[in-house]
Amino acid sequence: MHLATYLGLLHTSLTTLAGAFREVGRGHGEEPDVEQTCLLLAGRIDRQTEALAPIVERYGEDREQEPERLHAVGLEGTRGGGVGLLRDLQDLYALSSFTDITWTVVGQAAQGLRDRELLDLVEEHEQETARQLTWLRTRMKQAAPQALIAAR
């Protein structure tokens, strides 16, 4: 059974994503909404990781490097200015999308296993990840005109 591989991917993507949200929040402190929302979302992702622990204990996990590799490529540090904020938010969107689809795949396994506990966990946290993606998309739409047209 390869569920352990995807639980490892999910666990790694969650910890990577939480760290990336914290990094972007700290790096863009001049944007109070970005800083506060990123730190809030990082805390929520930490709770997702904690909630995943009993499932990982039950099925095991094989740790993969993909989410960490995505983080290393996309968020070596935050960028400055309006375009930098836009790019950092876009990188967070890519990491969040990876986490979102990983929750989906794990949810399919939960259905196949008829594991109600895992299925409930997936349903709850898929919704949280969808809200992250919605906020990121909205914030990028807000930042884009200023960053791409009006900024020098």
Side-chain angles (χ1 to χ4, degrees):
M1 183 163 64
H2 295 283
L3 178 57
T5 299
Y6 268 81
L7 290 175
L9 281 170
L10 184 56
H11 188 195
T12 302
S13 72
L14 288 169
T15 57
T16 301
L17 184 58
F21 267 111
R22 282 188 182 87
E23 188 174 332
V24 170
R26 286 190 301 266
H28 293 284
E30 72 281 0
E31 299 282 343
D33 69 310
V34 172
E35 180 180 29
Q36 293 302 313
T37 303
C38 283
L39 296 178
L40 175 74
L41 293 174
R44 288 182 180 171
I45 296 165
D46 289 339
R47 288 188 289 286
Q48 289 181 27
T49 305
E50 292 168 11
L52 185 63
I55 302 299
V56 167
E57 189 173 312
R58 184 178 331 139
Y59 292 109
E61 71 177 319
D62 294 329
R63 297 301 289 264
E64 297 284 335
Q65 298 300 314
E66 279 86 1
E68 291 164 344
R69 184 179 57 190
L70 286 173
H71 180 269
V73 169
L75 287 168
E76 294 173 347
T78 55
R79 302 165 180 101
V83 173
L85 171 62
L86 192 57
R87 296 281 312 278
D88 289 343
L89 293 173
Q90 190 171 0
D91 288 342
L92 282 175
Y93 192 90
L95 287 167
S96 295
S97 295
F98 184 92
T99 301
D100 182 55
I101 196 63
T102 305
W103 275 119
T104 300
V105 170
V106 169
Q108 291 302 112
Q111 286 181 2
L113 291 168
R114 293 186 170 90
D115 184 330
R116 188 74 234 167
E117 179 185 3
L118 179 53
L119 195 54
D120 290 344
L121 185 75
V122 168
E123 288 173 358
E124 176 183 349
H125 296 305
E126 266 187 323
Q127 291 174 9
E128 286 184 23
T129 305
R131 283 189 293 274
Q132 291 166 15
L133 289 165
T134 299
W135 176 77
L136 288 164
R137 181 184 303 273
T138 301
R139 192 57 179 86
M140 284 187 286
K141 285 180 179 181
Q142 179 186 7
Q146 180 71 23
L148 301 179
I149 299 169
R152 292 179 178 198

